[in-house]
């Protein structure tokens, strides 16, 4: 089995994790080995103690990138729904994969902040608006959109299934599904 890292970047509540789990189910049904490295779970179990400064966010992304590359090199389709707000951090992960020979696909889940705020899955936008938290990516902390992702998904204009199907089609086109 050929492994790959599929990194889904986007704002909080953009739909990254939902799309990743939908695609993971489909890939598993096809017989692929699949892992989802959910950003929230990673912060709980592997990168606990890191904050949300630029340096800590970079460290978080690099640690996740290392793990994703390791899994991909060992035949696992590794879906990574992680914000990764800085372009240089994502580029460092891409270069790690290029150096190891592991396939890497960057997907921008390009959902407008207004839509993310309405979805507000974790209540972060409400907390930020109430002044309870600061440093919310895309609101009062930067998010650098990918300039040329392998795929751009506008999750607010299509269903989760359609978004996952578009990503599956790209994987198939590249011989990864």
């Amino acid at each position: 089995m050929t492994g790959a890292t599929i990194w889904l970047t986007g704002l909080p509540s953009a739909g990254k994790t939902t799309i990743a789990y939908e695609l993971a189910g489909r890939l598993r049904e096809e017989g692929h080995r699949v892992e989802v490295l959910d950003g929230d779970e990673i912060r709980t179990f592997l990168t606990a103690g890191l904050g949300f400064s630029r340096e800590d966010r970079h460290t978080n992304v690099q640690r996740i990138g290392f793990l994703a590359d390791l899994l991909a090199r060992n035949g696992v389709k590794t879906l990574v729904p992680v914000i990764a707000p800085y372009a240089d951090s994502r580029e460092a992960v891409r270069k790690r994969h290029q150096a190891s020979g592991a396939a890497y696909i960057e997907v921008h889940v390009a959902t407008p902040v207004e839509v993310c705020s309405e979805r507000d899955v974790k209540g972060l936008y409400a907390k930020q608006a109430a002044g309870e938290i600061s440093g919310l990516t895309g609101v009062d902390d930067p998010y650098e959109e990918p300039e040329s992702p392998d795929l751009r998904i506008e999750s607010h204009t299509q269903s989760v299934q359609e978004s996952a199907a578009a990503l599956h089609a790209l994987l198939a086109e590249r011989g990864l599904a």
Side-chain angles (χ1 to χ4, degrees):
M1 290 254 159
T2 301
T5 294
I6 301 97
W7 197 292
L8 295 92
T9 179
L11 297 174
S13 297
K16 302 176 299 297
T17 302
T18 305
I19 294 166
Y21 279 108
E22 178 72 21
L23 179 61
R26 182 171 178 176
L27 290 170
R28 283 187 185 109
E29 286 175 4
E30 295 173 351
H32 296 275
R33 294 172 51 199
V34 180
E35 290 294 336
V36 177
L37 300 181
D38 180 283
D40 292 333
E41 291 177 0
I42 294 291
R43 277 196 174 270
T44 299
F45 297 106
L46 294 179
T47 61
L50 289 178
F52 292 91
S53 68
R54 182 179 178 101
E55 181 180 330
D56 281 357
R57 288 176 189 253
H58 179 77
T59 299
N60 187 52
V61 168
Q62 296 317 297
R63 289 178 183 176
I64 296 168
F66 171 83
L67 181 57
D69 179 57
L70 179 69
L71 289 166
R73 286 186 284 121
N74 284 280
V76 178
K77 301 290 187 300
T78 309
L79 306 175
V80 186
V82 172
I83 294 168
Y86 300 109
D88 61 340
S89 296
R90 294 189 306 266
E91 184 58 24
V93 171
R94 180 185 296 276
K95 286 181 178 175
R96 169 183 292 284
H97 283 72
Q98 287 171 340
S100 76
Y104 179 83
I105 294 175
E106 182 179 72
V107 179
H108 180 206
V109 182
T111 309
V113 69
E114 300 79 22
V115 174
C116 294
S117 178
E118 289 172 16
R119 291 178 180 171
D120 204 9
V121 178
K122 299 173 199 157
L124 297 174
Y125 292 92
K127 287 179 182 175
Q128 191 276 337
E132 296 172 23
I133 63 168
S134 63
L136 182 58
T137 302
V139 177
D140 60 352
D141 210 53
Y143 177 72
E144 299 170 356
E145 290 189 7
E147 291 182 18
S148 55
D150 297 285
L151 179 65
R152 188 176 314 278
I153 293 175
E154 296 187 8
S155 71
H156 59 292
T157 65
Q158 58 192 29
S159 70
V160 172
Q161 293 76 19
E162 290 169 329
S163 296
L167 184 44
H168 187 274
L170 176 63
L171 293 175
E173 176 184 304
R174 298 207 178 161
L176 298 169

